[in-house]
Amino acid sequence: MTQNDTTTVGALASATRSPALQLRDLRKSYGDVRAVDGIDLTVERGEIVAFLGPNGAGKTTTIDMMLGLARPSGGTVQVLGFEPHQAVARGEIAAVMQTGGLLKDVTVRETAQMMAALFRSARPVEEVLARAGIADIGDRMVGKCSGGQQQRLRFALALLPDPSLLVLDEPTTGMDVEGRREFWAAIRADAARGRTVLFATHYLDEADAYADRIVLVRHGRVVADGTSAQIKNLASGRVVSATLSGVSEVELAAVPGVERAERRGDRVLLRGKDSDAIARHLLTHTAARDLEIASTGLEDAFIALTGDTTEENGS
Ligand code: ATP
């Protein structure tokens, strides 16, 4: 074995052990704008991660650096142990972007065949169409496909190099509910086979429904990282509601564990992290009845964690 062979084998061995994605103190500035301001993130193989954040949080800039489309101002990106451009060239990472790139006057199958011809080694066209759930519309002109079908075609194209990491940047923008549902069903079925998926979305319900893990970014930094349940809990815990009259909001706010109290007619809503303690207090010290305990929505968590009033929260 030559020195070169040994080095290559060594690099491959370390790449096989590497996480799907590793960002270390990643930074990108445009003039005075710090689009990405020190992101540390490790994504293990097989995870489905949602990258959530308000407009201008730095999601697309981070994704562009993962794909080698933008050069970091500082820090590092490793995809399966490779530099982004190497990972793209090796077909380890592929992306489904929001728009663009499709010719309207060719069929779905011809589009996939043309793209497949660009790869040294590609999965069979019929296989990727089937995985994207569009095998039955292979003969349809792209221009006649719905937005959801065109997006599933982009997904099929991204599957051609059989990438270990699939990145989706707001893939369902503009789709109707049914289109979104079908798109995500195809992604989920594919991910169940072990592919790592990272997606940016504005739809919080999508992150809640389809991700194992949610990474919330704001002002180019990670402000929270966990499961959907952990993120909700981090922001505002649970809401205990009950029918209870004759007790003021001020008195309710003094109940141990209550962070916020609200009265709506004869119902009271008490927010806090320790819902058991709040419920116990209501049932043993007051005349509360018809008690209900609910998780706060991800939407509430998102606003609480990315809003301007929680500048230091989680960072
Ligand atoms: P959105 O959800 O609106 O797509 P985002 O989280 O993807 O937002 P980015 O597109 O990464 O955010 O933008 C982050 C910040 O960097 C924004 O303030 C944006 O204006 C700025 N920015 C992005 N690209 C450039 C560029 N090429 N030149 C100058 N500023 C840029």
Side-chain angles (χ1 to χ4, degrees), residues 78-91:
Q78 291 228 305
V79 179
L80 279 303
F82 298 102
E83 298 290 318
H85 68 277
Q86 290 175 311
V88 171
R90 298 174 61 91

mmCIF file with all atom_site columns, all heavy atoms in Angstrom, residues 78-91:
data_model
loop_
_atom_site.group_PDB
_atom_site.id
_atom_site.type_symbol
_atom_site.label_atom_id
_atom_site.label_alt_id
_atom_site.label_comp_id
_atom_site.label_asym_id
_atom_site.label_entity_id
_atom_site.label_seq_id
_atom_site.pdbx_PDB_ins_code
_atom_site.Cartn_x
_atom_site.Cartn_y
_atom_site.Cartn_z
_atom_site.occupancy
_atom_site.B_iso_or_equiv
_atom_site.pdbx_formal_charge
_atom_site.auth_seq_id
_atom_site.auth_comp_id
_atom_site.auth_asym_id
_atom_site.auth_atom_id
_atom_site.pdbx_PDB_model_num
ATOM 1   N N   . GLN A 1 78 ? -18.159 20.550 8.648  1.00 0.00 ? 78 GLN A N   1
ATOM 2   C CA  . GLN A 1 78 ? -17.785 19.226 8.157  1.00 0.00 ? 78 GLN A CA  1
ATOM 3   C C   . GLN A 1 78 ? -19.042 18.416 7.903  1.00 0.00 ? 78 GLN A C   1
ATOM 4   O O   . GLN A 1 78 ? -19.948 18.374 8.753  1.00 0.00 ? 78 GLN A O   1
ATOM 5   C CB  . GLN A 1 78 ? -16.923 18.504 9.186  1.00 0.00 ? 78 GLN A CB  1
ATOM 6   C CG  . GLN A 1 78 ? -15.553 19.150 9.336  1.00 0.00 ? 78 GLN A CG  1
ATOM 7   C CD  . GLN A 1 78 ? -14.460 18.117 9.296  1.00 0.00 ? 78 GLN A CD  1
ATOM 8   O OE1 . GLN A 1 78 ? -14.488 17.186 10.073 1.00 0.00 ? 78 GLN A OE1 1
ATOM 9   N NE2 . GLN A 1 78 ? -13.517 18.263 8.378  1.00 0.00 ? 78 GLN A NE2 1
ATOM 10  N N   . VAL A 1 79 ? -19.097 17.814 6.725  1.00 0.00 ? 79 VAL A N   1
ATOM 11  C CA  . VAL A 1 79 ? -20.235 16.969 6.349  1.00 0.00 ? 79 VAL A CA  1
ATOM 12  C C   . VAL A 1 79 ? -19.708 15.547 6.217  1.00 0.00 ? 79 VAL A C   1
ATOM 13  O O   . VAL A 1 79 ? -18.865 15.286 5.355  1.00 0.00 ? 79 VAL A O   1
ATOM 14  C CB  . VAL A 1 79 ? -20.848 17.451 5.012  1.00 0.00 ? 79 VAL A CB  1
ATOM 15  C CG1 . VAL A 1 79 ? -22.011 16.542 4.616  1.00 0.00 ? 79 VAL A CG1 1
ATOM 16  C CG2 . VAL A 1 79 ? -21.308 18.902 5.109  1.00 0.00 ? 79 VAL A CG2 1
ATOM 17  N N   . LEU A 1 80 ? -20.159 14.664 7.112  1.00 0.00 ? 80 LEU A N   1
ATOM 18  C CA  . LEU A 1 80 ? -19.663 13.281 7.128  1.00 0.00 ? 80 LEU A CA  1
ATOM 19  C C   . LEU A 1 80 ? -18.132 13.264 7.195  1.00 0.00 ? 80 LEU A C   1
ATOM 20  O O   . LEU A 1 80 ? -17.486 12.393 6.616  1.00 0.00 ? 80 LEU A O   1
ATOM 21  C CB  . LEU A 1 80 ? -20.132 12.516 5.885  1.00 0.00 ? 80 LEU A CB  1
ATOM 22  C CG  . LEU A 1 80 ? -21.544 11.919 5.831  1.00 0.00 ? 80 LEU A CG  1
ATOM 23  C CD1 . LEU A 1 80 ? -21.838 10.953 6.949  1.00 0.00 ? 80 LEU A CD1 1
ATOM 24  C CD2 . LEU A 1 80 ? -22.612 12.927 5.668  1.00 0.00 ? 80 LEU A CD2 1
ATOM 25  N N   . GLY A 1 81 ? -17.562 14.252 7.851  1.00 0.00 ? 81 GLY A N   1
ATOM 26  C CA  . GLY A 1 81 ? -16.105 14.306 7.991  1.00 0.00 ? 81 GLY A CA  1
ATOM 27  C C   . GLY A 1 81 ? -15.398 14.971 6.831  1.00 0.00 ? 81 GLY A C   1
ATOM 28  O O   . GLY A 1 81 ? -14.169 15.082 6.832  1.00 0.00 ? 81 GLY A O   1
ATOM 29  N N   . PHE A 1 82 ? -16.124 15.415 5.828  1.00 0.00 ? 82 PHE A N   1
ATOM 30  C CA  . PHE A 1 82 ? -15.517 16.048 4.653  1.00 0.00 ? 82 PHE A CA  1
ATOM 31  C C   . PHE A 1 82 ? -15.790 17.550 4.645  1.00 0.00 ? 82 PHE A C   1
ATOM 32  O O   . PHE A 1 82 ? -16.757 18.014 5.239  1.00 0.00 ? 82 PHE A O   1
ATOM 33  C CB  . PHE A 1 82 ? -16.087 15.459 3.362  1.00 0.00 ? 82 PHE A CB  1
ATOM 34  C CG  . PHE A 1 82 ? -15.816 13.991 3.180  1.00 0.00 ? 82 PHE A CG  1
ATOM 35  C CD1 . PHE A 1 82 ? -16.803 13.058 3.427  1.00 0.00 ? 82 PHE A CD1 1
ATOM 36  C CD2 . PHE A 1 82 ? -14.564 13.545 2.760  1.00 0.00 ? 82 PHE A CD2 1
ATOM 37  C CE1 . PHE A 1 82 ? -16.541 11.697 3.262  1.00 0.00 ? 82 PHE A CE1 1
ATOM 38  C CE2 . PHE A 1 82 ? -14.302 12.193 2.593  1.00 0.00 ? 82 PHE A CE2 1
ATOM 39  C CZ  . PHE A 1 82 ? -15.297 11.270 2.850  1.00 0.00 ? 82 PHE A CZ  1
ATOM 40  N N   . GLU A 1 83 ? -14.946 18.284 3.924  1.00 0.00 ? 83 GLU A N   1
ATOM 41  C CA  . GLU A 1 83 ? -15.237 19.688 3.622  1.00 0.00 ? 83 GLU A CA  1
ATOM 42  C C   . GLU A 1 83 ? -16.483 19.703 2.736  1.00 0.00 ? 83 GLU A C   1
ATOM 43  O O   . GLU A 1 83 ? -16.682 18.756 1.949  1.00 0.00 ? 83 GLU A O   1
ATOM 44  C CB  . GLU A 1 83 ? -14.080 20.299 2.822  1.00 0.00 ? 83 GLU A CB  1
ATOM 45  C CG  . GLU A 1 83 ? -12.761 20.329 3.547  1.00 0.00 ? 83 GLU A CG  1
ATOM 46  C CD  . GLU A 1 83 ? -12.785 21.336 4.683  1.00 0.00 ? 83 GLU A CD  1
ATOM 47  O OE1 . GLU A 1 83 ? -13.321 22.437 4.479  1.00 0.00 ? 83 GLU A OE1 1
ATOM 48  O OE2 . GLU A 1 83 ? -12.312 20.994 5.777  1.00 0.00 ? 83 GLU A OE2 1
ATOM 49  N N   . PRO A 1 84 ? -17.307 20.779 2.807  1.00 0.00 ? 84 PRO A N   1
ATOM 50  C CA  . PRO A 1 84 ? -18.539 20.780 2.014  1.00 0.00 ? 84 PRO A CA  1
ATOM 51  C C   . PRO A 1 84 ? -18.335 20.475 0.528  1.00 0.00 ? 84 PRO A C   1
ATOM 52  O O   . PRO A 1 84 ? -19.068 19.652 -0.038 1.00 0.00 ? 84 PRO A O   1
ATOM 53  C CB  . PRO A 1 84 ? -19.087 22.192 2.214  1.00 0.00 ? 84 PRO A CB  1
ATOM 54  C CG  . PRO A 1 84 ? -18.607 22.547 3.585  1.00 0.00 ? 84 PRO A CG  1
ATOM 55  C CD  . PRO A 1 84 ? -17.240 21.928 3.707  1.00 0.00 ? 84 PRO A CD  1
ATOM 56  N N   . HIS A 1 85 ? -17.335 21.086 -0.118 1.00 0.00 ? 85 HIS A N   1
ATOM 57  C CA  . HIS A 1 85 ? -17.212 20.864 -1.564 1.00 0.00 ? 85 HIS A CA  1
ATOM 58  C C   . HIS A 1 85 ? -16.869 19.402 -1.867 1.00 0.00 ? 85 HIS A C   1
ATOM 59  O O   . HIS A 1 85 ? -17.317 18.832 -2.857 1.00 0.00 ? 85 HIS A O   1
ATOM 60  C CB  . HIS A 1 85 ? -16.198 21.829 -2.195 1.00 0.00 ? 85 HIS A CB  1
ATOM 61  C CG  . HIS A 1 85 ? -14.783 21.579 -1.787 1.00 0.00 ? 85 HIS A CG  1
ATOM 62  N ND1 . HIS A 1 85 ? -14.257 22.072 -0.623 1.00 0.00 ? 85 HIS A ND1 1
ATOM 63  C CD2 . HIS A 1 85 ? -13.805 20.853 -2.372 1.00 0.00 ? 85 HIS A CD2 1
ATOM 64  C CE1 . HIS A 1 85 ? -13.000 21.670 -0.512 1.00 0.00 ? 85 HIS A CE1 1
ATOM 65  N NE2 . HIS A 1 85 ? -12.700 20.937 -1.559 1.00 0.00 ? 85 HIS A NE2 1
ATOM 66  N N   . GLN A 1 86 ? -16.092 18.771 -0.955 1.00 0.00 ? 86 GLN A N   1
ATOM 67  C CA  . GLN A 1 86 ? -15.776 17.348 -1.151 1.00 0.00 ? 86 GLN A CA  1
ATOM 68  C C   . GLN A 1 86 ? -17.042 16.508 -0.968 1.00 0.00 ? 86 GLN A C   1
ATOM 69  O O   . GLN A 1 86 ? -17.290 15.573 -1.727 1.00 0.00 ? 86 GLN A O   1
ATOM 70  C CB  . GLN A 1 86 ? -14.764 16.873 -0.103 1.00 0.00 ? 86 GLN A CB  1
ATOM 71  C CG  . GLN A 1 86 ? -13.368 17.425 -0.282 1.00 0.00 ? 86 GLN A CG  1
ATOM 72  C CD  . GLN A 1 86 ? -12.499 16.982 0.901  1.00 0.00 ? 86 GLN A CD  1
ATOM 73  O OE1 . GLN A 1 86 ? -12.895 17.117 2.048  1.00 0.00 ? 86 GLN A OE1 1
ATOM 74  N NE2 . GLN A 1 86 ? -11.324 16.454 0.591  1.00 0.00 ? 86 GLN A NE2 1
ATOM 75  N N   . ALA A 1 87 ? -17.824 16.876 0.066  1.00 0.00 ? 87 ALA A N   1
ATOM 76  C CA  . ALA A 1 87 ? -19.043 16.110 0.364  1.00 0.00 ? 87 ALA A CA  1
ATOM 77  C C   . ALA A 1 87 ? -20.028 16.207 -0.799 1.00 0.00 ? 87 ALA A C   1
ATOM 78  O O   . ALA A 1 87 ? -20.669 15.219 -1.155 1.00 0.00 ? 87 ALA A O   1
ATOM 79  C CB  . ALA A 1 87 ? -19.678 16.621 1.657  1.00 0.00 ? 87 ALA A CB  1
ATOM 80  N N   . VAL A 1 88 ? -20.128 17.403 -1.417 1.00 0.00 ? 88 VAL A N   1
ATOM 81  C CA  . VAL A 1 88 ? -21.028 17.570 -2.572 1.00 0.00 ? 88 VAL A CA  1
ATOM 82  C C   . VAL A 1 88 ? -20.517 16.726 -3.734 1.00 0.00 ? 88 VAL A C   1
ATOM 83  O O   . VAL A 1 88 ? -21.268 15.976 -4.365 1.00 0.00 ? 88 VAL A O   1
ATOM 84  C CB  . VAL A 1 88 ? -21.128 19.064 -2.980 1.00 0.00 ? 88 VAL A CB  1
ATOM 85  C CG1 . VAL A 1 88 ? -21.875 19.207 -4.291 1.00 0.00 ? 88 VAL A CG1 1
ATOM 86  C CG2 . VAL A 1 88 ? -21.815 19.873 -1.880 1.00 0.00 ? 88 VAL A CG2 1
ATOM 87  N N   . ALA A 1 89 ? -19.201 16.814 -3.996 1.00 0.00 ? 89 ALA A N   1
ATOM 88  C CA  . ALA A 1 89 ? -18.621 16.072 -5.124 1.00 0.00 ? 89 ALA A CA  1
ATOM 89  C C   . ALA A 1 89 ? -18.799 14.567 -4.943 1.00 0.00 ? 89 ALA A C   1
ATOM 90  O O   . ALA A 1 89 ? -19.005 13.833 -5.913 1.00 0.00 ? 89 ALA A O   1
ATOM 91  C CB  . ALA A 1 89 ? -17.139 16.420 -5.277 1.00 0.00 ? 89 ALA A CB  1
ATOM 92  N N   . ARG A 1 90 ? -18.735 14.098 -3.709 1.00 0.00 ? 90 ARG A N   1
ATOM 93  C CA  . ARG A 1 90 ? -18.887 12.667 -3.429 1.00 0.00 ? 90 ARG A CA  1
ATOM 94  C C   . ARG A 1 90 ? -20.345 12.232 -3.351 1.00 0.00 ? 90 ARG A C   1
ATOM 95  O O   . ARG A 1 90 ? -20.645 11.065 -3.128 1.00 0.00 ? 90 ARG A O   1
ATOM 96  C CB  . ARG A 1 90 ? -18.232 12.323 -2.083 1.00 0.00 ? 90 ARG A CB  1
ATOM 97  C CG  . ARG A 1 90 ? -16.733 12.580 -2.044 1.00 0.00 ? 90 ARG A CG  1
ATOM 98  C CD  . ARG A 1 90 ? -16.229 12.348 -0.628 1.00 0.00 ? 90 ARG A CD  1
ATOM 99  N NE  . ARG A 1 90 ? -16.463 10.981 -0.224 1.00 0.00 ? 90 ARG A NE  1
ATOM 100 C CZ  . ARG A 1 90 ? -15.596 9.986  -0.385 1.00 0.00 ? 90 ARG A CZ  1
ATOM 101 N NH1 . ARG A 1 90 ? -14.423 10.228 -0.903 1.00 0.00 ? 90 ARG A NH1 1
ATOM 102 N NH2 . ARG A 1 90 ? -15.898 8.776  -0.002 1.00 0.00 ? 90 ARG A NH2 1
ATOM 103 N N   . GLY A 1 91 ? -21.277 13.211 -3.465 1.00 0.00 ? 91 GLY A N   1
ATOM 104 C CA  . GLY A 1 91 ? -22.705 12.882 -3.391 1.00 0.00 ? 91 GLY A CA  1
ATOM 105 C C   . GLY A 1 91 ? -23.158 12.576 -1.975 1.00 0.00 ? 91 GLY A C   1
ATOM 106 O O   . GLY A 1 91 ? -24.204 11.967 -1.769 1.00 0.00 ? 91 GLY A O   1
#
